Amino acid sequence: MIDSKNRDTNKTSDISSMNALTGNRYQLRHAAGIYWLLDMGQSGMPYVKPVPMNEMGAAIWNMWQRGLDLDEIAEKLSETYEIPVGQAREDAGEFLAALQGRGL
């Protein structure tokens, strides 16, 4: 997941609308053991740095980009990482809210 001090999960209500807004502008890449979310729509200054994330963050991003909702993402994270669904939902919600806070 990305580093974020914002733990307000109430921001997850706009997650589905965020997906429609991003389209293919952002692409996920893997280099040097880190996943990087790149803004492919940049045309110069100001430069927006790529967003680093771990494997779970990349999984959440990929599922969200495929159109899965927060509950579907939580179910899949729970199965994959063997964590409770509630914890997976909270983690995914916080992650997506942090991305939204960055304007993604």
Side-chain angles (χ1 to χ4, degrees):
M1 309 260 278
I2 62 175
D3 292 329
S4 173
K5 294 181 182 173
N6 182 357
R7 300 194 59 87
D8 183 1
T9 58
N10 293 330
K11 292 185 178 182
T12 60
S13 60
D14 294 327
I15 289 170
S16 60
S17 62
M18 287 176 14
N19 193 16
L21 296 174
T22 61
N24 291 326
R25 178 176 172 175
Y26 298 97
Q27 293 184 8
L28 190 64
R29 299 285 190 252
H30 187 251
I34 299 172
Y35 291 89
W36 301 91
L37 188 59
L38 306 170
D39 182 349
M40 304 306 286
Q42 293 187 72
S43 59
M45 297 306 282
Y47 175 71
V48 178
K49 292 181 181 179
V51 177
M53 62 184 71
N54 64 16
E55 181 181 323
M56 185 182 285
I60 293 168
W61 174 263
N62 283 327
M63 288 185 277
W64 178 70
Q65 286 293 292
R66 290 194 322 260
L68 276 67
D69 66 25
L70 188 55
D71 290 329
E72 293 169 320
I73 291 171
E75 286 289 332
K76 292 197 179 290
L77 290 176
S78 176
E79 294 170 10
T80 302
Y81 295 98
E82 299 179 356
I83 58 175
V85 173
Q87 182 64 51
R89 188 179 198 291
E90 182 179 336
D91 291 348
E94 288 177 6
F95 175 76
L96 292 171
L99 289 179
Q100 182 181 23
R102 289 177 177 237
L104 303 177

